[in-house]
Amino acid sequence: MKKQLTNIILAGAAPDTGNHGVTALALSLLSALDKRGLQQATVLDNGGSMRLGELLSLHYRTLALKPGKRFYQPNNMHQVRIRQMFGLPSPILSTIKNADAVLDVSGGDSFTDMYGPARFEQITVPKLMAIDAGVPLILLPQTYGPYQFTKTRRIARKILNAAHLAYARDEDSYKNLQTLLGDDFDPQQHRLGVDLAFGLPCVGGDNTPDDLPVGINVSGLLWHDAAAAAEQFSLKADYKQSLIQFALKILEDTNKDILLVPHVRPSGGSECDLVASRAFKLAIPSEYRNRIQIEKNANSPELLKGTISNTCWFTGARMHATIAALSTGVPVCNMAYSMKARGVFASCGQQEQVFDLRKNSTDQMVSALFASFNQRQKTKAELAFSLSNAKRVWVQQMNDISYALDEPKEKLEVVYA
């Protein structure tokens, strides 16, 4: 029998960004809580006024809380935040105030200052608004840090101390959480979990063994302005050349075809994987291009997960593209550009399948990718053994989160920042 859960707000997982990894977080959470009796959910996004949304037959409300310079707009998060600090009314503030809890996932990996001060502010404002409204804040499984600056560390500590619950999505992030909080760390409040997307429904995947292609996600973030990305993330390897040279080894040395799986679609703007995939295909000599296909029809996270599950081996830099492979038992390696990948892969015993673009040369990346491809049968057997534990942890954390929504709500301390 379903429990009678109540009214939540979901932040940090807007389903209208074109990033299917972020949408996957929203869908995973809503699907899990729907099975546990959730009555009403409002998802913060970048659209207009309150309206109805739907993901995989799950119905919810959407409400815009947008960053940007258009301060005059009533749904601009900076205007709403200032109105809250001065005690002025706002429909959005009323919606937050009337919620039973705010659940925030920060896009899975954005609760950091690594992407710049504007992005950090965008990620933290909904958290601070929930705390100052006296509404319990639950930080869903995510990465914490890195925090390079004193101010951002201070704000992160305040949020983590005030949160009703805070889940790290892997052991590395959990250790960062403990280090950041020091004596304020509380194992009842600050917990270890796994990424929400491990519970994402999978549609269309049957894992048939007949001549499956090699799957690759080409990251628009790293491809479109490769020089800027290399500087921002301190990459040692050339990302483009690593992928191109690896693909050529597959095409020249094996009979495998390649399937490119974009995980951020056109509305992703300058980070669009679809555009990057087309450019990647054109960079391959013409005689091989007929063996490279671009997935264009899987336009939702659950369909993309099904598509990825029908590859013999997969690689990518997008975290949630590789999680789709991990969680369906597909041998996979991650082309890492930050700390976030190693811990998530370690949750399935696959940390050795993370190859760091910041530490390896281009030649080393190509060799590592091809070696990973060649040992895919061994990796598949290992995943079959270790994946069940990650999925058990996922079920337990969702049960615990649903129980927490039923706990008495206490007024929380105001932490203006």
Side-chain angles (χ1 to χ4, degrees):
M1 180 177 177
K2 285 187 176 182
K3 293 166 58 182
Q4 294 300 304
L5 300 182
T6 44
N7 172 27
I8 67 157
I9 290 176
L10 174 59
D16 62 348
T17 65
N19 186 327
H20 287 299
V22 175
T23 305
L25 297 173
L27 178 54
S28 300
L29 178 78
L30 295 175
S31 177
L33 293 186
D34 178 70
K35 295 174 183 176
R36 291 164 173 78
L38 178 67
Q39 298 300 300
Q40 181 172 288
T42 300
V43 180
L44 300 182
D45 71 356
N46 302 285
S49 57
M50 184 83 76
R51 60 216 180 280
L52 294 178
E54 182 177 344
L55 287 172
L56 202 63
S57 300
L58 299 170
H59 298 278
Y60 57 92
R61 302 186 304 174
T62 63
L63 179 63
L65 185 65
K66 300 189 288 189
K69 299 178 180 179
R70 297 179 180 177
F71 183 84
Y72 56 85
Q73 293 182 336
N75 56 14
N76 180 281
M77 65 168 51
H78 307 294
Q79 181 191 137
V80 177
R81 177 63 173 152
I82 288 175
R83 294 185 75 86
Q84 182 184 40
M85 295 174 71
F86 284 93
L88 300 174
S90 162
I92 295 176
L93 290 174
S94 296
T95 301
I96 294 173
K97 187 76 174 178
N98 291 328
D100 294 293
V102 171
L103 279 58
D104 192 305
V105 69
S106 309
D109 64 2
S110 293
F111 194 5
T112 172
D113 56 21
M114 182 174 68
Y115 300 109
R119 178 66 173 156
F120 182 80
E121 184 178 34
Q122 177 185 344
I123 287 296
T124 55
V125 163
K127 300 172 177 60
L128 296 169
M129 288 172 60
I131 294 167
D132 291 346
V135 177
L137 172 67
I138 295 177
L139 297 176
L140 299 167
Q142 58 190 276
T143 299
Y144 298 99
Y147 304 108
Q148 305 171 71
F149 306 107
T150 301
K151 180 179 179 180
T152 53
R153 284 195 296 272
R154 175 177 60 82
I155 294 172
R157 278 196 298 267
K158 285 187 174 182
I159 290 171
L160 289 164
N161 277 323
H164 193 64
L165 286 175
Y167 280 89
R169 68 178 182 179
D170 58 73
E171 287 276 5
D172 289 354
S173 291
Y174 194 54
K175 291 175 182 176
N176 289 342
L177 190 62
Q178 292 173 299
T179 300
L180 180 67
L181 288 170
D183 292 341
D184 291 328
F185 175 80
D186 179 353
Q188 293 300 311
Q189 179 185 8
H190 308 111
R191 303 185 183 184
L192 175 63
V194 297
D195 193 280
L196 287 176
F198 274 92
L200 176 71
C202 179
V203 175
D206 55 19
N207 248 328
T208 53
D210 299 333
D211 201 26
L212 297 177
V214 168
I216 297 177
N217 167 254
V218 184
S219 168
L221 173 66
L222 302 182
W223 182 279
H224 292 306
D225 191 343
E231 181 178 359
Q232 180 179 0
F233 301 115
S234 301
L235 304 186
K236 180 178 179 181
D238 184 314
Y239 173 72
K240 287 186 177 182
Q241 285 303 311
S242 296
L243 273 186
I244 291 169
Q245 291 177 30
F246 166 71
L248 284 174
K249 283 187 71 67
I250 293 292
L251 296 167
E252 291 171 350
D253 297 355
T254 80
N255 62 358
K256 288 292 185 183
D257 293 338
I258 293 174
L259 178 65
L260 305 180
V261 187
H263 222 251
V264 174
R265 297 293 176 124
S267 57
S270 61
E271 296 186 13
C272 178
D273 294 354
L274 182 57
V275 175
S277 295
R278 290 168 179 159
F280 170 82
K281 184 173 180 177
L282 288 174
I284 300 296
S286 58
E287 63 264 33
Y288 294 120
R289 288 179 197 158
N290 65 330
R291 292 174 56 193
I292 301 176
Q293 302 299 320
I294 301 175
E295 173 55 56
K296 298 176 183 177
N297 297 320
N299 56 5
S300 66
E302 67 276 12
L303 287 172
L304 281 168
K305 187 170 184 176
T307 297
I308 290 170
S309 76
N310 282 327
T311 59
C312 69
W313 178 89
F314 192 83
T315 190
R318 295 280 187 194
M319 191 72 254
H320 282 103
T322 55
I323 288 176
L326 271 180
S327 61
T328 52
V330 173
V332 56
C333 71
N334 185 276
M335 302 176 70
Y337 61 91
S338 74
M339 54 167 265
K340 62 186 178 183
R342 201 209 76 89
V344 173
F345 270 61
S347 65
C348 291
Q350 294 296 305
Q351 59 270 27
E352 298 303 319
Q353 295 299 320
V354 176
F355 307 130
D356 201 325
L357 290 158
R358 302 169 301 171
K359 298 178 181 178
N360 294 305
S361 68
T362 301
D363 288 345
Q364 287 171 328
M365 288 297 298
V366 174
S367 296
L369 290 169
F370 200 65
S372 175
F373 166 77
N374 283 330
Q375 68 174 31
R376 62 191 181 280
Q377 294 303 327
K378 176 178 179 288
T379 304
K380 188 176 183 67
E382 292 172 349
L383 263 177
F385 178 78
S386 62
L387 187 56
S388 59
N389 181 64
K391 291 189 173 181
R392 281 196 299 270
V393 173
W394 185 89
V395 170
Q396 185 59 57
Q397 78 185 10
M398 299 318 300
N399 288 339
D400 291 345
I401 289 168
S402 69
Y403 295 146
L405 294 175
D406 285 340
E407 293 177 359
K409 314 299 188 293
E410 297 180 0
K411 187 73 174 179
L412 299 172
E413 178 186 359
V414 172
V415 293
Y416 292 136

